[in-house]
């Protein structure tokens, strides 16, 4: 049995998707043939919840980006297929360093899957750990998957408090670092977030997800190899994505 209110909601959103412009209550009534009171109540509820707004006063209603944010959160929270964990595991075995999968969470990065290095001296992390988006190689790899407008909007919400140094203490510096990393295909941290810790990350756009594959290790051990490790991660991720797109 269909629930009428839910059907009406999706019919309204489908209408906006088709006309691609703000609509008044009167125009919605004319398009959908519903009673004016029903349209008014539905529109008022969506406005109160933050899902509709008036771009111009008295100029009609239009969906807000809250729909996009909600859909993205749902898509990026889908359970990961076992093949992704196998990729993380294989990279940890190949490099003998800690490798993890990172996902965006507002202005932070959350570690979704972690395979620890067997080395006694290693980067130690756990699933669920969070780090700043702007100050880490993982965060900048994820930001590289955003559109420039979305990246700018996200960075406006960042608290640019200093960490180990001031290399990433402004939106402008982070943007430049993102553009530089996009040219190379990977992103690095040379102890700029945590002294003595190096990070190498590559973007990992898998399905609707915008994640990063990240290697963490003591700086003293991997500093001369950071670009080589970045190239290796990028190559393995590209191989994985090609294999799973077929």
């Amino acid at each position: 049995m269909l629930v009428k209110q839910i059907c009406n909601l999706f019919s309204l959103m489908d209408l906006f998707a088709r006309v691609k412009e703000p609509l008044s209550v009167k125009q919605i009534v004319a398009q959908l043939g519903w009673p004016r009171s029903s349209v008014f109540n539905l529109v008022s509820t969506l406005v109160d919840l933050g899902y509709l707004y008036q771009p111009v006063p008295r100029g009609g209603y239009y969906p807000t980006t809250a729909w996009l944010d909600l859909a993205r959160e749902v898509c990026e929270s889908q359970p990961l297929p076992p093949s992704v964990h196998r990729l993380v595991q294989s990279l940890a075995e190949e490099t003998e360093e800690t490798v993890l999968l990172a996902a965006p969470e507002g202005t932070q990065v959350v570690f979704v899957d972690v395979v620890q290095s067997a080395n006694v001296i290693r980067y130690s992390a756990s699933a669920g750990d969070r780090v700043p988006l702007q100050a880490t190689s993982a965060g900048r790899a994820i930001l590289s998957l955003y559109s420039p407008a979305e990246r700018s909007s996200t960075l406006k919400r960042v608290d640019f408090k200093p960490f180990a140094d001031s290399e990433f203490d402004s939106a402008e510096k982070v943007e430049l670092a993102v553009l530089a990393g996009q040219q190379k295909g990977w992103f690095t941290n040379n102890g700029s977030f945590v002294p003595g810790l190096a990070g190498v990350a590559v973007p990992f756009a898998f399905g609707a997800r915008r994640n990063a594959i990240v290697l963490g290790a003591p700086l003293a051990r991997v500093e001369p190899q950071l670009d080589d490790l970045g190239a290796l991660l990028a190559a393995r991720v590209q191989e994985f994505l090609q294999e799973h797109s077929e």
Side-chain angles (χ1 to χ4, degrees):
M1 179 183 293
L2 297 177
V3 178
K4 183 178 180 181
Q5 291 88 339
I6 295 176
C7 291
N8 287 350
L9 172 62
F10 282 101
S11 294
L12 177 61
M13 297 313 298
D14 180 67
L15 174 61
F16 280 118
R18 285 188 283 109
V19 302
K20 297 180 176 59
E21 62 182 24
L23 296 171
S24 67
V25 169
K26 182 179 180 180
Q27 288 171 316
I28 296 171
V29 169
Q31 288 280 344
L32 297 177
W34 298 345
R36 187 183 187 285
S37 59
S38 299
V39 173
F40 180 81
N41 290 337
L42 180 55
V43 168
S44 297
T45 299
L46 291 172
V47 169
D48 289 344
L49 292 174
Y51 289 102
L52 288 182
Y53 79 117
Q54 288 184 302
V56 177
R58 301 182 182 278
Y61 298 90
Y62 200 73
T64 70
T65 57
W67 293 100
L68 177 63
D69 295 338
L70 182 63
R72 182 171 293 133
E73 287 290 333
V74 171
C75 290
E76 291 179 345
S77 299
Q78 294 180 70
L80 285 164
S83 58
V84 175
H85 174 73
R86 290 195 294 270
L87 171 65
V88 174
Q89 178 105 41
S90 67
L91 284 169
E93 292 171 356
E94 184 173 2
T95 62
E96 299 184 343
E97 301 293 354
T98 298
V99 177
L100 54 92
L101 176 71
E105 192 171 272
T107 59
Q108 293 187 310
V109 171
V110 61
F111 299 159
V112 178
D113 190 18
V114 179
V115 177
Q116 298 271 10
S117 167
N119 289 309
V120 175
I121 300 175
R122 63 179 184 267
Y123 173 49
S124 181
S126 301
D129 287 352
R130 287 167 172 76
V131 295
L133 191 69
Q134 81 282 5
T136 56
S137 58
R140 292 190 297 281
I142 290 170
L143 283 170
S144 73
L145 296 171
Y146 290 18
S147 69
E150 187 181 3
R151 200 157 56 234
S152 174
S153 175
T154 300
L155 290 173
K156 286 178 182 177
R157 306 197 306 270
V158 166
D159 178 12
F160 285 97
K161 62 182 181 181
F163 291 98
D165 61 31
S166 60
E167 185 177 359
F168 305 111
D169 60 1
S170 72
E172 293 74 19
K173 290 180 181 179
V174 174
E175 178 67 16
L176 288 174
V178 169
L179 295 177
Q182 285 177 323
Q183 292 293 317
K184 289 199 302 184
W186 58 87
F187 299 77
T188 59
N189 251 17
N190 297 21
S192 57
F193 174 50
V194 176
L197 174 65
V200 187
V202 296
F204 184 61
F206 185 58
R209 295 172 179 271
R210 297 182 297 178
N211 294 349
I213 298 290
V214 191
L215 179 149
L219 181 61
R221 185 161 69 223
V222 300
E223 186 172 16
Q225 313 164 46
L226 282 179
D227 281 335
D228 290 340
L229 289 168
L232 172 65
L233 294 184
R236 295 291 180 268
V237 165
Q238 185 61 31
E239 291 168 4
F240 176 90
L241 294 176
Q242 288 178 345
E243 178 183 346
H244 289 81
S245 67
E246 297 173 355

